[in-house]
Coordinates of all heavy atoms in Angstrom, one line a residue:
M1 N 16.2 -0.1 -5.6 CA 15.7 -1.4 -5.8 C 15.7 -1.7 -7.3 O 15.3 -0.9 -8.1 CB 14.3 -1.6 -5.2 CG 13.7 -2.9 -5.4 SD 12.1 -3.1 -4.6 CE 11.1 -2.5 -5.9
W2 N 16.2 -2.9 -7.6 CA 16.2 -3.4 -9.0 C 15.2 -4.5 -9.2 O 15.1 -5.3 -8.3 CB 17.6 -3.9 -9.4 CG 18.6 -2.8 -9.4 CD1 19.3 -2.2 -8.4 CD2 19.1 -2.1 -10.6 NE1 20.2 -1.2 -8.8 CE2 20.0 -1.1 -10.2 CE3 18.7 -2.1 -11.9 CZ2 20.6 -0.3 -11.0 CZ3 19.4 -1.3 -12.8 CH2 20.3 -0.4 -12.4
A3 N 14.5 -4.5 -10.3 CA 13.5 -5.6 -10.5 C 13.4 -5.9 -12.0 O 13.7 -5.0 -12.8 CB 12.2 -5.1 -10.0
W4 N 13.0 -7.1 -12.3 CA 12.7 -7.5 -13.7 C 11.7 -8.7 -13.7 O 11.5 -9.3 -12.6 CB 14.0 -7.9 -14.4 CG 14.8 -9.0 -13.8 CD1 14.8 -10.3 -14.1 CD2 15.7 -8.9 -12.7 NE1 15.7 -11.0 -13.3 CE2 16.2 -10.2 -12.5 CE3 16.2 -7.8 -11.9 CZ2 17.2 -10.4 -11.5 CZ3 17.1 -8.1 -10.9 CH2 17.6 -9.4 -10.7
G5 N 11.2 -8.9 -14.8 CA 10.2 -10.0 -14.9 C 8.8 -9.4 -15.3 O 8.7 -8.4 -16.0
S6 N 7.8 -10.1 -14.8 CA 6.4 -9.6 -15.1 C 6.1 -8.3 -14.3 O 6.4 -8.2 -13.1 CB 5.4 -10.7 -14.7 OG 4.1 -10.3 -14.9
G7 N 5.6 -7.4 -15.0 CA 5.3 -6.1 -14.4 C 4.0 -5.4 -14.9 O 3.8 -4.3 -14.6
E8 N 3.1 -6.2 -15.5 CA 1.9 -5.6 -16.0 C 1.0 -5.0 -15.0 O 0.1 -4.2 -15.3 CB 1.1 -6.6 -16.9 CG 0.5 -7.8 -16.2 CD 1.4 -9.0 -16.0 OE1 2.6 -8.9 -16.4 OE2 1.0 -10.0 -15.5
M9 N 1.1 -5.4 -13.7 CA 0.3 -4.8 -12.7 C 1.1 -3.7 -11.9 O 0.5 -3.2 -10.9 CB -0.2 -5.9 -11.7 CG -1.0 -7.0 -12.4 SD -2.5 -6.4 -13.2 CE -3.5 -6.2 -11.8
G10 N 2.3 -3.4 -12.3 CA 3.1 -2.4 -11.6 C 4.0 -3.0 -10.6 O 4.6 -2.2 -9.8
Q11 N 4.0 -4.3 -10.4 CA 4.8 -4.9 -9.3 C 6.3 -4.7 -9.4 O 7.0 -4.9 -8.4 CB 4.5 -6.4 -9.2 CG 4.8 -7.3 -10.4 CD 3.7 -7.4 -11.4 OE1 3.0 -6.5 -11.7 NE2 3.6 -8.6 -11.9
L12 N 6.8 -4.2 -10.5 CA 8.3 -3.9 -10.6 C 8.6 -2.5 -10.0 O 9.8 -2.3 -9.7 CB 8.7 -4.0 -12.1 CG 8.6 -5.3 -12.8 CD1 9.1 -5.3 -14.2 CD2 9.3 -6.4 -12.0
G13 N 7.6 -1.7 -9.9 CA 7.9 -0.4 -9.3 C 8.6 0.6 -10.1 O 9.3 1.5 -9.6
T14 N 8.6 0.4 -11.5 CA 9.4 1.3 -12.4 C 8.6 2.5 -12.9 O 9.1 3.3 -13.6 CB 9.9 0.4 -13.6 OG1 8.7 -0.1 -14.2 CG2 10.8 -0.7 -13.1
G15 N 7.3 2.6 -12.5 CA 6.5 3.7 -12.9 C 5.6 3.4 -14.1 O 4.8 4.2 -14.5
K16 N 5.8 2.2 -14.7 CA 5.0 1.8 -15.9 C 4.6 0.4 -15.7 O 5.3 -0.5 -15.2 CB 5.9 1.9 -17.1 CG 6.4 3.3 -17.4 CD 7.3 3.3 -18.7 CE 7.9 4.7 -18.9 NZ 8.8 4.7 -20.0
P17 N 3.4 0.1 -16.3 CA 2.9 -1.3 -16.2 C 3.4 -2.1 -17.4 O 2.7 -2.3 -18.4 CB 1.3 -1.1 -16.3 CG 1.2 0.1 -17.1 CD 2.3 1.0 -16.7
E18 N 4.6 -2.5 -17.3 CA 5.2 -3.3 -18.4 C 6.2 -4.3 -17.9 O 6.8 -4.2 -16.8 CB 5.9 -2.3 -19.4 CG 7.1 -1.6 -18.7 CD 7.6 -0.5 -19.7 OE1 7.0 -0.2 -20.7 OE2 8.7 0.0 -19.4
N19 N 6.4 -5.4 -18.6 CA 7.4 -6.4 -18.3 C 8.8 -5.9 -18.7 O 9.0 -5.1 -19.5 CB 7.0 -7.7 -19.1 CG 5.7 -8.2 -18.8 OD1 5.1 -8.0 -17.7 ND2 5.1 -8.9 -19.7
S20 N 9.8 -6.6 -18.0 CA 11.2 -6.3 -18.4 C 12.0 -7.5 -18.2 O 11.9 -8.2 -17.2 CB 11.7 -5.2 -17.4 OG 13.0 -4.9 -17.7
N21 N 12.7 -7.8 -19.3 CA 13.6 -9.0 -19.2 C 15.1 -8.6 -18.8 O 15.9 -9.5 -18.8 CB 13.6 -9.8 -20.6 CG 14.1 -8.9 -21.7 OD1 14.4 -7.7 -21.6 ND2 14.1 -9.5 -22.9
V22 N 15.3 -7.4 -18.5 CA 16.6 -6.9 -17.9 C 16.3 -6.2 -16.6 O 15.2 -5.6 -16.5 CB 17.3 -6.0 -19.0 CG1 17.7 -6.8 -20.2 CG2 16.5 -4.8 -19.3
P23 N 17.2 -6.2 -15.7 CA 17.1 -5.5 -14.5 C 16.8 -4.0 -14.7 O 17.5 -3.3 -15.5 CB 18.4 -5.7 -13.7 CG 18.9 -7.0 -14.3 CD 18.5 -6.9 -15.7
R24 N 15.8 -3.4 -14.0 CA 15.5 -2.0 -14.1 C 15.4 -1.4 -12.7 O 14.9 -2.1 -11.8 CB 14.1 -1.8 -14.8 CG 14.2 -2.3 -16.2 CD 13.0 -2.0 -17.0 NE 12.7 -0.6 -16.9 CZ 11.5 -0.1 -17.3 NH1 10.5 -0.8 -17.7 NH2 11.3 1.2 -17.2
E25 N 15.9 -0.2 -12.6 CA 15.9 0.4 -11.3 C 14.6 1.1 -11.0 O 14.0 1.7 -11.9 CB 17.0 1.5 -11.2 CG 17.4 2.0 -9.8 CD 18.6 2.7 -9.8 OE1 19.2 3.1 -10.9 OE2 19.1 3.0 -8.7
S26 N 14.1 1.0 -9.7 CA 12.9 1.7 -9.4 C 13.1 3.2 -9.3 O 14.2 3.7 -9.3 CB 12.3 1.1 -8.0 OG 13.1 1.7 -7.0
E27 N 12.0 3.9 -9.1 CA 12.0 5.4 -8.9 C 12.7 5.8 -7.6 O 13.1 6.9 -7.4 CB 10.6 5.9 -9.0 CG 9.9 5.6 -10.3 CD 10.4 6.3 -11.5 OE1 10.7 7.5 -11.3 OE2 10.5 5.7 -12.6
M28 N 12.8 4.9 -6.6 CA 13.3 5.2 -5.3 C 14.8 5.0 -5.2 O 15.2 4.1 -4.5 CB 12.5 4.4 -4.2 CG 11.1 4.8 -4.2 SD 10.3 3.9 -2.8 CE 11.3 4.3 -1.4
T29 N 15.6 5.7 -5.8 CA 17.0 5.5 -5.8 C 17.7 6.1 -4.6 O 18.8 5.7 -4.3 CB 17.7 6.1 -7.1 OG1 17.3 7.5 -7.1 CG2 17.1 5.5 -8.3
K30 N 17.1 7.0 -3.9 CA 17.7 7.6 -2.7 C 17.3 7.0 -1.4 O 17.7 7.5 -0.3 CB 17.4 9.1 -2.7 CG 18.0 9.8 -3.9 CD 17.7 11.3 -3.9 CE 18.3 11.9 -5.2 NZ 17.9 13.3 -5.3
V31 N 16.5 6.0 -1.4 CA 16.0 5.3 -0.2 C 16.7 4.0 -0.1 O 16.8 3.2 -1.0 CB 14.5 5.2 -0.3 CG1 14.0 4.4 1.0 CG2 13.8 6.5 -0.4
K32 N 17.2 3.7 1.1 CA 17.9 2.4 1.4 C 16.8 1.4 1.8 O 16.2 1.5 2.9 CB 18.9 2.5 2.4 CG 20.1 3.4 2.0 CD 21.3 3.3 2.9 CE 22.4 4.1 2.4 NZ 23.5 4.1 3.3
I33 N 16.6 0.4 1.0 CA 15.6 -0.6 1.3 C 16.3 -1.8 1.9 O 17.3 -2.3 1.4 CB 14.9 -1.0 0.0 CG1 14.1 0.2 -0.5 CG2 13.9 -2.2 0.2 CD1 13.5 0.0 -1.9
D34 N 15.7 -2.3 3.1 CA 16.3 -3.5 3.8 C 15.7 -4.8 3.4 O 16.3 -5.8 3.2 CB 16.1 -3.3 5.3 CG 17.2 -2.4 5.9 OD1 18.2 -2.2 5.2 OD2 17.1 -2.1 7.1
I35 N 14.3 -4.8 3.3 CA 13.6 -6.0 3.1 C 12.6 -5.8 1.9 O 11.9 -4.8 1.9 CB 12.9 -6.5 4.3 CG1 13.9 -6.7 5.5 CG2 12.1 -7.7 4.1 CD1 13.2 -6.9 6.8
V36 N 12.5 -6.8 1.0 CA 11.5 -6.8 0.0 C 10.7 -8.1 0.0 O 11.3 -9.2 0.2 CB 12.2 -6.7 -1.4 CG1 11.2 -6.8 -2.5 CG2 13.0 -5.4 -1.5
A37 N 9.4 -7.9 -0.1 CA 8.5 -9.1 -0.1 C 7.7 -9.0 -1.4 O 7.1 -8.0 -1.7 CB 7.6 -9.1 1.1
C38 N 7.7 -10.1 -2.1 CA 7.0 -10.1 -3.5 C 5.9 -11.1 -3.5 O 6.1 -12.3 -3.1 CB 8.0 -10.4 -4.5 SG 9.4 -9.3 -4.6
G39 N 4.8 -10.6 -4.0 CA 3.7 -11.5 -4.3 C 3.6 -11.7 -5.8 O 4.5 -11.3 -6.5
M40 N 2.6 -12.4 -6.3 CA 2.5 -12.6 -7.7 C 2.4 -11.3 -8.5 O 3.0 -11.1 -9.5 CB 1.4 -13.6 -8.1 CG 1.3 -13.9 -9.5 SD 0.0 -15.1 -9.9 CE 0.9 -16.6 -9.6
Y41 N 1.6 -10.4 -7.9 CA 1.3 -9.1 -8.7 C 1.6 -7.9 -7.8 O 1.1 -6.8 -8.2 CB -0.1 -9.1 -9.2 CG -0.4 -10.2 -10.2 CD1 -1.2 -11.2 -9.8 CD2 0.2 -10.2 -11.4 CE1 -1.5 -12.3 -10.7 CE2 -0.1 -11.2 -12.3 CZ -0.9 -12.2 -12.0 OH -1.2 -13.2 -12.9
H42 N 2.3 -8.0 -6.7 CA 2.6 -6.8 -5.9 C 3.9 -7.0 -5.2 O 4.4 -8.1 -5.0 CB 1.4 -6.5 -4.9 CG 1.3 -7.6 -3.8 ND1 0.7 -8.8 -4.0 CD2 1.7 -7.5 -2.5 CE1 0.7 -9.5 -2.9 NE2 1.3 -8.7 -1.9
T43 N 4.5 -5.9 -4.7 CA 5.7 -5.9 -4.0 C 5.6 -4.9 -2.9 O 5.1 -3.8 -3.0 CB 6.9 -5.4 -5.0 OG1 6.9 -6.3 -6.1 CG2 8.2 -5.4 -4.3
L44 N 6.2 -5.3 -1.7 CA 6.3 -4.4 -0.5 C 7.8 -4.3 -0.2 O 8.5 -5.2 -0.3 CB 5.5 -5.0 0.7 CG 4.0 -5.1 0.5 CD1 3.4 -5.9 1.6 CD2 3.4 -3.7 0.4
A45 N 8.2 -3.1 0.2 CA 9.6 -2.8 0.5 C 9.6 -2.0 1.8 O 8.9 -1.0 2.0 CB 10.2 -2.0 -0.6
L46 N 10.5 -2.5 2.7 CA 10.7 -1.9 4.0 C 12.0 -1.2 4.0 O 13.1 -1.9 3.8 CB 10.6 -2.9 5.1 CG 10.6 -2.4 6.5 CD1 9.4 -1.6 6.9 CD2 10.7 -3.6 7.5
T47 N 12.1 0.1 4.4 CA 13.3 0.8 4.4 C 14.1 0.6 5.7 O 13.5 0.0 6.7 CB 13.1 2.3 4.2 OG1 12.5 2.8 5.4 CG2 12.3 2.6 3.0
E48 N 15.3 1.0 5.7 CA 16.1 0.9 6.9 C 15.5 1.7 8.1 O 15.8 1.4 9.2 CB 17.6 1.2 6.7 CG 17.8 2.7 6.4 CD 19.3 3.0 6.2 OE1 20.1 2.1 6.2 OE2 19.6 4.2 6.0
D49 N 14.7 2.7 7.7 CA 14.1 3.5 8.7 C 12.7 3.0 9.1 O 11.9 3.7 9.8 CB 13.9 5.0 8.2 CG 15.2 5.6 8.0 OD1 16.2 5.3 8.7 OD2 15.3 6.5 7.0
Q50 N 12.4 1.7 8.7 CA 11.1 1.1 9.1 C 9.9 1.7 8.4 O 8.8 1.8 9.0 CB 11.0 1.0 10.6 CG 12.1 0.2 11.3 CD 12.1 -1.3 10.9 OE1 11.1 -2.0 11.2 NE2 13.1 -1.7 10.2
V51 N 10.1 2.3 7.2 CA 9.0 2.9 6.5 C 8.6 1.9 5.4 O 9.5 1.3 4.7 CB 9.4 4.2 5.8 CG1 8.3 4.8 5.0 CG2 9.8 5.2 6.9
L52 N 7.3 1.6 5.2 CA 6.8 0.6 4.3 C 6.3 1.2 3.0 O 5.5 2.2 3.1 CB 5.7 -0.2 5.0 CG 5.1 -1.4 4.2 CD1 6.2 -2.5 4.0 CD2 3.9 -2.0 4.9
Y53 N 6.7 0.7 1.9 CA 6.3 1.1 0.6 C 5.7 -0.1 -0.2 O 6.1 -1.2 0.1 CB 7.4 1.7 -0.2 CG 8.0 3.0 0.3 CD1 8.9 3.0 1.3 CD2 7.5 4.2 -0.2 CE1 9.4 4.3 1.8 CE2 8.0 5.4 0.2 CZ 8.9 5.4 1.2 OH 9.4 6.6 1.7
G54 N 4.7 0.2 -1.1 CA 4.1 -0.8 -1.9 C 3.9 -0.4 -3.3 O 3.8 0.8 -3.6
T55 N 3.9 -1.4 -4.2 CA 3.6 -1.2 -5.6 C 2.9 -2.4 -6.2 O 3.1 -3.5 -5.7 CB 4.9 -0.8 -6.4 OG1 4.6 -0.4 -7.7 CG2 5.9 -2.0 -6.4
G56 N 2.2 -2.2 -7.3 CA 1.6 -3.4 -8.0 C 0.1 -3.4 -7.8 O -0.6 -2.4 -7.5
A57 N -0.5 -4.6 -7.9 CA -1.9 -4.9 -7.8 C -2.4 -4.6 -6.4 O -1.8 -4.9 -5.4 CB -2.2 -6.3 -8.2
N58 N -3.6 -3.9 -6.3 CA -4.2 -3.6 -5.1 C -5.7 -3.8 -5.1 O -6.4 -3.3 -4.3 CB -3.9 -2.1 -4.7 CG -4.2 -1.8 -3.3 OD1 -3.9 -2.6 -2.4 ND2 -4.8 -0.7 -3.0
K59 N -6.1 -4.7 -6.0 CA -7.6 -5.0 -6.2 C -8.2 -5.4 -4.9 O -9.4 -5.1 -4.7 CB -7.7 -6.0 -7.3 CG -9.2 -6.4 -7.6 CD -9.2 -7.5 -8.6 CE -10.7 -7.9 -8.9 NZ -10.8 -9.0 -9.8
N60 N -7.5 -6.2 -4.1 CA -8.1 -6.7 -2.9 C -7.5 -6.0 -1.6 O -7.6 -6.5 -0.5 CB -7.8 -8.2 -2.8 CG -8.5 -8.9 -3.9 OD1 -9.7 -8.8 -4.1 ND2 -7.7 -9.7 -4.7
G61 N -6.9 -4.8 -1.8 CA -6.3 -4.1 -0.7 C -5.0 -4.6 -0.2 O -4.6 -4.3 0.9
Q62 N -4.4 -5.5 -0.9 CA -3.2 -6.2 -0.5 C -2.0 -5.3 -0.2 O -1.1 -5.7 0.5 CB -2.8 -7.4 -1.4 CG -2.4 -7.0 -2.8 CD -3.6 -7.1 -3.7 OE1 -4.7 -6.6 -3.5 NE2 -3.4 -7.8 -4.8
L63 N -2.0 -4.1 -0.7 CA -0.9 -3.2 -0.5 C -1.1 -2.3 0.8 O -0.1 -1.7 1.3 CB -0.7 -2.2 -1.7 CG -0.3 -2.8 -3.0 CD1 -0.2 -1.8 -4.1 CD2 1.1 -3.5 -2.8
G64 N -2.3 -2.3 1.3 CA -2.6 -1.6 2.5 C -3.0 -0.1 2.3 O -3.0 0.7 3.2
F65 N -3.3 0.2 1.1 CA -3.7 1.6 0.8 C -5.2 1.7 1.1 O -5.9 0.7 1.2 CB -3.5 1.9 -0.7 CG -2.0 2.1 -1.0 CD1 -1.3 1.1 -1.6 CD2 -1.3 3.3 -0.7 CE1 0.0 1.2 -1.9 CE2 0.0 3.4 -0.9 CZ 0.7 2.4 -1.5
L66 N -5.7 2.9 1.2 CA -7.1 3.1 1.6 C -8.1 3.0 0.4 O -9.3 3.2 0.5 CB -7.3 4.4 2.2 CG -6.4 4.6 3.5 CD1 -6.5 6.0 4.0 CD2 -6.7 3.6 4.5
D67 N -7.6 2.6 -0.8 CA -8.4 2.4 -2.0 C -8.0 1.1 -2.6 O -7.1 0.4 -2.1 CB -8.2 3.6 -3.0 CG -6.8 3.8 -3.4 OD1 -6.1 2.8 -3.7 OD2 -6.3 4.9 -3.5
M68 N -8.6 0.8 -3.7 CA -8.3 -0.5 -4.4 C -7.6 -0.2 -5.8 O -7.6 -1.1 -6.6 CB -9.6 -1.3 -4.6 CG -10.3 -1.6 -3.4 SD -9.3 -2.6 -2.2 CE -10.5 -2.7 -0.9
S69 N -6.9 0.9 -5.9 CA -6.2 1.2 -7.1 C -4.8 0.6 -7.2 O -4.1 0.6 -6.2 CB -6.0 2.7 -7.3 OG -7.3 3.3 -7.4
N70 N -4.4 0.1 -8.3 CA -3.0 -0.4 -8.5 C -2.0 0.8 -8.4 O -2.3 1.9 -8.7 CB -2.9 -1.1 -9.9 CG -3.7 -2.3 -10.0 OD1 -4.2 -2.8 -9.0 ND2 -3.9 -2.8 -11.2
R71 N -0.8 0.4 -8.1 CA 0.3 1.4 -8.0 C 1.4 0.9 -9.0 O 1.6 -0.2 -9.1 CB 0.9 1.5 -6.6 CG -0.1 1.9 -5.5 CD -0.8 3.3 -5.8 NE -1.4 3.9 -4.7 CZ -2.6 3.7 -4.3 NH1 -3.4 2.7 -4.9 NH2 -3.2 4.4 -3.3
Y72 N 2.0 1.9 -9.6 CA 3.0 1.5 -10.6 C 4.4 2.0 -10.2 O 5.4 1.8 -11.0 CB 2.6 2.1 -12.0 CG 1.3 1.5 -12.5 CD1 0.1 2.2 -12.3 CD2 1.3 0.2 -12.9 CE1 -1.1 1.7 -12.7 CE2 0.1 -0.3 -13.3 CZ -1.1 0.4 -13.2 OH -2.3 -0.2 -13.5
Q73 N 4.5 2.6 -9.1 CA 5.8 2.9 -8.5 C 5.7 2.8 -7.0 O 4.6 2.8 -6.5 CB 6.3 4.3 -8.8 CG 5.4 5.4 -8.4 CD 5.8 6.8 -8.9 OE1 6.5 6.9 -9.9 NE2 5.3 7.8 -8.3
L74 N 6.8 2.6 -6.3 CA 6.7 2.4 -4.8 C 6.1 3.7 -4.2 O 6.6 4.8 -4.4 CB 8.1 2.1 -4.3 CG 8.6 0.7 -4.6 CD1 10.1 0.6 -4.4 CD2 7.9 -0.3 -3.8
E75 N 5.1 3.5 -3.4 CA 4.4 4.6 -2.7 C 4.3 4.2 -1.2 O 4.1 3.1 -0.8 CB 3.0 4.8 -3.2 CG 3.0 5.4 -4.6 CD 1.6 5.7 -5.1 OE1 0.8 6.0 -4.3 OE2 1.4 5.7 -6.3
L76 N 4.4 5.3 -0.4 CA 4.3 5.1 1.1 C 3.0 4.5 1.4 O 1.9 5.0 1.0 CB 4.5 6.4 1.7 CG 4.4 6.5 3.3 CD1 5.5 5.7 3.9 CD2 4.3 7.9 3.7
V77 N 3.0 3.4 2.2 CA 1.7 2.8 2.6 C 1.2 3.6 3.8 O 1.8 3.6 4.9 CB 1.9 1.3 3.0 CG1 0.7 0.7 3.5 CG2 2.5 0.5 1.9
P78 N 0.1 4.3 3.6 CA -0.4 5.2 4.6 C -0.9 4.6 5.9 O -0.7 5.2 7.0 CB -1.6 5.9 3.9 CG -2.0 5.0 2.9 CD -0.8 4.3 2.4
S79 N -1.3 3.4 5.9 CA -1.8 2.7 7.1 C -0.6 2.4 8.1 O -0.8 2.1 9.2 CB -2.5 1.4 6.8 OG -1.8 0.6 6.0
F80 N 0.6 2.5 7.6 CA 1.8 2.3 8.4 C 2.7 3.6 8.5 O 3.8 3.5 9.0 CB 2.7 1.2 7.9 CG 2.1 -0.2 8.1 CD1 1.4 -0.8 7.1 CD2 2.2 -0.8 9.3 CE1 0.8 -2.0 7.3 CE2 1.6 -2.0 9.5 CZ 0.9 -2.7 8.5
E81 N 2.1 4.7 8.1 CA 2.9 5.9 8.0 C 3.6 6.4 9.3 O 4.7 6.8 9.3 CB 2.1 7.1 7.5 CG 2.9 8.3 7.1 CD 2.0 9.3 6.3 OE1 0.8 9.1 6.1 OE2 2.6 10.3 6.0
N82 N 2.9 6.2 10.4 CA 3.5 6.6 11.7 C 3.7 5.5 12.7 O 3.8 5.7 13.9 CB 2.6 7.7 12.4 CG 2.6 9.0 11.5 OD1 3.6 9.5 11.1 ND2 1.4 9.5 11.3
E83 N 3.7 4.3 12.1 CA 3.9 3.1 12.9 C 5.1 2.3 12.5 O 5.4 2.1 11.3 CB 2.7 2.1 12.7 CG 1.3 2.7 13.1 CD 1.2 2.9 14.5 OE1 1.8 2.1 15.3 OE2 0.5 3.9 14.9
P84 N 6.0 2.0 13.5 CA 7.1 1.1 13.1 C 6.7 -0.3 12.7 O 5.7 -0.8 13.2 CB 7.9 1.1 14.4 CG 7.0 1.4 15.5 CD 5.9 2.3 14.9
V85 N 7.3 -0.8 11.7 CA 6.9 -2.1 11.2 C 7.8 -3.2 11.7 O 9.0 -3.0 11.8 CB 7.0 -2.1 9.6 CG1 6.6 -3.5 9.1 CG2 6.1 -1.0 9.1

């Protein structure tokens, strides 16, 4: 997945909370992503195998993780780990 723009909350999924004015590749280079949904400060990515990943702001639980910590790279969303999306 390639992303650029505002990234201070980790929503670019590059592993660092920083903005980028050029396209940058995420840490997940070996996973084929089919669908990407972007919010203002978070990103969700669904793989071709129907596995859901999230990155960015999670203050209100918007990523679906069991805590409220921000993510700076795409991480498997545990609430959908064994569920087809």
